[in-house]
Amino acid sequence: MTRNDVSGTIGRGADRTSVVPRRALRDGVYDAILEKLLDGSTPPGSSLSIDSLARELGVSPTPVREALVQLEHTGLVSRVALKGYRVAQPLSPRQMAELIDTRTVLEVAAVERAAAHADDLVPELRAAHAQHVLSAHQVRKFRGEGGHPTGFADLREYFAADWEFHLTIIRAADNRFLLQLAESLSAHVHRLRQTVDHGAMDVDQAVSEHAAILAAFESGDPQRPVEAMRAHMTALARRSAVDV
């Protein structure tokens, strides 16, 4: 091996190892901007300056620009020619209804398939539900006198636990394309959370409806989980229509 071969190999190895920190930085910037979009500190229509965000987060403009490109795909931000990025308007009532309708089609299909694996699914679903119950308790604990959580940070774990309950079922359907569709929808679910008034969060209702879904899987009747998930989605659509 020549010296050039050696240096070329070292260089390629260094490039590979540098990918991970860069990806971690980009993901961290993405999460930080996402939190700003969802906690109400950047209202709809606000401009998002790449340079200002970079200074605020203590990073170069590059990961900020990459994060905003990702966020554009979620619909949370929009890019206006010659004006840069802006915070998108919340979901309209029609968009909200369409999103929940899409989730209903996908998640009912997933439940139908997951019911065949109920014995393996139930222990994992119990664990996911327990985490959801715990995070819901934390949200209630930190609510102020007016019924509002102290901030998005208090809600982040709750949102993650709520979505993980649904993903546990979708993964049990054992269909990679259903899972990919669900993961692509998760970004749009952020917009639903942005739209719904956090002060009117459906914590108690969601926990109760998840408990009913778990009990339906535990029953061994393959039709009961389908009915429970459909009821949950119908209730979610009704609450979302009220909050818009």
Side-chain angles (χ1 to χ4, degrees), residues 2 82 124 128 139 145 177 189 193 196 204 240 243:
T2 68
L82 305 178
E124 295 183 16
V139 169
E145 292 182 1
F177 298 108
V189 171
R193 293 167 181 159
V196 173
D204 295 330
S240 299
D243 287 330

Side-chain angles (χ1 to χ4, degrees), residues 5-227:
D5 291 334
V6 172
S7 40
T9 301
I10 293 173
R12 288 193 296 274
D15 288 342
R16 284 196 297 270
T17 57
S18 67
V19 169
V20 175
R22 176 169 177 172
R23 185 180 301 135
L25 175 62
R26 182 193 62 201
D27 291 347
V29 170
Y30 176 95
D31 289 341
I33 298 175
L34 176 62
E35 184 164 329
K36 287 175 65 66
L37 295 174
L38 299 181
D39 68 5
S41 63
T42 51
S46 302
S47 62
L48 295 168
S49 164
I50 291 174
D51 291 337
S52 295
L53 286 169
R55 285 194 299 270
E56 179 183 341
L57 299 174
V59 298
S60 72
T62 299
V64 173
R65 187 175 295 106
E66 292 172 348
L68 288 173
V69 169
Q70 280 185 279
L71 286 163
E72 186 177 8
H73 293 305
T74 72
L76 281 168
V77 304
S78 58
R79 189 173 185 277
V80 182
L82 305 178
K83 294 184 179 179
Y85 289 94
R86 291 187 178 276
V87 181
Q89 296 298 321
L91 291 172
S92 67
R94 178 172 178 175
Q95 289 172 321
M96 180 84 76
E98 289 175 351
L99 174 58
I100 296 175
D101 183 49
T102 302
R103 281 190 61 184
T104 300
V105 171
L106 187 153
E107 297 201 43
V108 168
V111 166
E112 290 172 342
R113 289 154 179 77
H117 312 288
D119 290 345
D120 294 329
L121 169 61
V122 164
E124 295 183 16
L125 200 58
R126 285 174 181 157
H129 181 58
Q131 186 59 42
H132 186 219
V133 170
L134 178 61
S135 62
H137 172 72
Q138 290 299 109
V139 169
R140 296 188 200 98
K141 179 179 176 182
F142 287 112
R143 279 185 172 182
E145 292 182 1
H148 290 265
T150 57
F152 179 72
D154 299 332
L155 303 175
R156 182 166 43 196
E157 289 189 15
Y158 172 80
F159 287 148
D162 181 280
W163 186 235
E164 180 60 25
F165 181 89
H166 289 265
L167 284 179
T168 299
I169 296 170
I170 295 167
R171 284 193 291 263
D174 197 26
N175 183 312
R176 72 189 67 186
F177 298 108
L178 277 178
L179 182 58
Q180 287 175 7
L181 286 170
E183 289 172 341
S184 69
L185 275 182
S186 67
H188 297 286
V189 171
H190 284 312
R191 294 195 72 198
L192 185 152
R193 293 167 181 159
Q194 178 200 41
T195 301
V196 173
D197 178 6
H198 288 164
M201 277 186 64
D202 58 346
V203 173
D204 295 330
Q205 298 96 319
V207 168
S208 176
E209 290 158 17
H210 283 193
I213 295 169
L214 172 59
F217 274 109
E218 291 173 330
S219 74
D221 180 347
Q223 189 55 35
R224 280 188 59 189
V226 174
E227 295 168 354

